[in-house]
Amino acid sequence: MNWFARQIQHYETRRWKTDDNRLVRPFAWGLEHVGGPEDHLDPPAFLRDYARQAIENSHDWYSTAAADDYRLDSENVLTFTSSIASPWQENNTVYAQFFPARKRAGHLSKHCAGPQNGNNASATTHGGHDRGPAVLILPNWNAKWHGQRGLGEWLQRIGISALKMSLPYHDRRMAPGHERADQLVGPNIGLTLQANRQAVQDARRCLRWLEQQGFSRLGILGTSIGSSVGYITLVHDSAVRAGGFFHVSTYFADVVSQGMTTAHVWESLRPHVTVDELREYWAPVSPMPYVERGLGSGKEAFMVYGKYDPTFLPALTEQMLTALRRHIPHPRTLALHCGHYSLELPPFSHIAGYRMLSFLRQALA
């Protein structure tokens, strides 16, 4: 490892250690979250069969209709009910922040009203009027409410509207007694499956709202776990033209077992499951099975990753890209000499941001 790579690794480790609220939570099979009995005599067999069927029928497993209670308030915060009812009521309302393209910023007020007058945004129609492109932003794991606001504002400035969705169990959706989204990535196998399935279905409901507002050229921009959720949404939703992804990897289990930021999750899991077993259980919420099936091969995608990433290991990213190249000869990629956290630093953030925005503007033109 060269001097520069060591400096990046040192920075990544320092950033990781600044979060001192990680807890090693208890392991659980969590069958009750995926329709199984808590007292099933063979949880591994149940999960293997459940995962196999979910992948084989992934279009049905991830399908959802538009919500019937969309509301946009005076601060451009969209809310609606999630299609999956989780055990925590707080998590079952989806929150998303809307950034209308500045040249069209006044258009929405003519058609959508917030809760102050009781109107339902889902009742809006636009008579086929095309309001231009829009991008759904899916942030990283444990992002705060204002996290990645800059991406929405950047897109606004170049004439692309954006909707930034809070992932399940994040910020305003966080379960009581939790400081982190331990349900989205955690040692409860069934709950992690349910939470990531919920994330995709929530994303698709956001896309339906954008369509109702007259946006027909739709894209997705995901970061870290937002990339995983975003890629799965991209390949299962015919309305999405293009996806941009910061940090990409193969299987959920490989990231959790090998990545630096999920070491505390793997500490709870490893006495109970092997990596191979966990890869099988969590395959439905991993990008790799859908890459291998060639889903989404006709859509445009741009993937940015760090050569010194200790969270999404570069070897895993290369495996993903190798599989992708079997269906797309020359996928668009950008490899930077940075890591996971350090992608946020200049010049990496400037390079990645410029290239990503350029890609989305071209792909959604």
Side-chain angles (χ1 to χ4, degrees):
M1 183 180 294
N2 60 41
W3 175 87
F4 188 77
R6 288 197 298 271
Q7 298 309 305
I8 293 293
Q9 292 292 318
H10 290 328
Y11 175 82
E12 295 286 316
T13 302
R14 287 198 305 273
R15 278 291 308 274
W16 171 57
K17 289 182 176 178
T18 59
D19 292 333
D20 58 0
N21 59 353
R22 294 183 181 87
L23 298 176
V24 180
R25 297 196 177 272
F27 169 83
W29 292 108
L31 302 190
E32 67 274 19
H33 299 290
V34 290
E38 294 183 55
D39 58 350
H40 195 282
L41 296 178
D42 191 352
F46 179 91
L47 286 167
R48 281 194 297 271
D49 185 61
Y50 179 86
R52 178 184 57 78
Q53 292 188 46
I55 291 174
E56 289 177 358
N57 303 284
S58 62
H59 283 281
D60 291 333
W61 198 64
Y62 280 121
S63 67
T64 183
D68 59 8
D69 60 348
Y70 293 117
R71 289 184 180 275
L72 189 75
D73 69 15
S74 59
E75 296 182 346
N76 275 339
V77 175
L78 176 71
T79 58
F80 59 89
T81 301
S82 177
S83 55
I84 290 181
S86 71
W88 290 270
Q89 188 60 39
E90 294 81 359
N91 179 55
N92 296 335
T93 297
V94 183
Y95 294 85
Q97 190 169 14
F98 183 56
F99 300 86
R102 288 188 175 175
K103 63 181 180 181
R104 303 172 181 265
H107 185 79
L108 190 73
S109 61
K110 301 176 184 177
H111 300 279
C112 295
Q116 64 271 17
N117 60 12
N119 287 347
N120 189 325
S122 67
T124 301
T125 60
H126 292 266
H129 179 69
D130 182 6
R131 297 184 58 204
V135 169
L136 176 63
I137 300 173
L138 300 172
N140 54 289
W141 188 33
N142 293 304
K144 307 302 182 186
W145 172 249
H146 294 292
Q148 298 203 341
R149 181 183 177 90
L151 289 176
E153 293 172 343
W154 287 352
L155 287 162
Q156 266 186 323
R157 293 189 189 106
I158 64 171
I160 298 177
S161 297
L163 184 66
K164 180 174 71 69
M165 186 188 91
S166 290
L167 295 173
Y169 301 101
H170 282 66
D171 51 76
R172 301 180 182 190
R173 306 179 66 178
M174 190 163 288
H178 287 254
E179 295 182 9
R180 298 175 58 85
D182 297 319
Q183 299 84 357
L184 191 67
V185 184
N188 186 314
I189 295 176
L191 180 56
T192 297
L193 277 167
Q194 183 200 58
N196 281 269
R197 181 189 186 193
Q198 183 178 30
V200 174
Q201 292 192 7
D202 291 347
R204 299 189 72 178
R205 285 197 160 187
C206 282
L207 294 168
R208 301 292 79 78
W209 180 80
L210 287 170
E211 287 179 322
Q212 290 177 7
Q213 308 318 305
F215 297 103
S216 60
R217 288 172 279 160
L218 301 179
I220 286 179
L221 177 55
T223 301
S224 195
I225 196 170
S227 287
S228 174
V229 173
Y231 185 84
I232 294 171
T233 305
L234 171 77
V235 302
H236 286 91
D237 199 300
S238 60
V240 183
R241 289 191 183 186
F245 308 109
F246 295 117
H247 311 299
V248 292
S249 195
T250 52
Y251 285 94
F252 210 103
D254 292 285
V255 172
V256 168
S257 61
Q258 299 181 46
M260 179 177 68
T261 60
T262 49
H264 63 295
V265 179
W266 181 237
E267 183 177 343
S268 180
L269 285 163
R270 65 184 178 186
H272 305 278
V273 295
T274 67
V275 175
D276 289 341
E277 290 169 338
L278 192 60
R279 189 182 299 120
E280 190 174 12
Y281 303 151
W282 281 347
V285 296
S286 303
M288 194 65 160
Y290 309 112
V291 173
E292 292 173 332
R293 284 166 56 187
L295 297 187
S297 57
K299 300 188 178 186
E300 294 194 68
F302 179 46
M303 301 181 177
V304 179
Y305 63 99
K307 292 184 176 182
Y308 309 131
D309 191 339
T311 296
F312 279 29
L313 301 187
L316 297 178
T317 301
E318 286 299 330
Q319 289 176 25
M320 169 89 163
L321 296 178
T322 297
L324 196 62
R325 290 185 186 106
R326 298 190 188 107
H327 305 283
I328 305 174
H330 303 289
R332 301 189 191 187
T333 63
L334 174 63
L336 296 172
H337 291 81
C338 65
H340 210 79
Y341 294 112
S342 48
L343 182 61
E344 300 174 352
L345 301 177
F348 311 119
S349 58
H350 296 163
I351 297 169
Y354 175 78
R355 291 284 300 276
M356 184 63 74
L357 294 179
S358 299
F359 162 74
L360 289 170
R361 183 160 52 184
Q362 175 272 322
L364 301 177

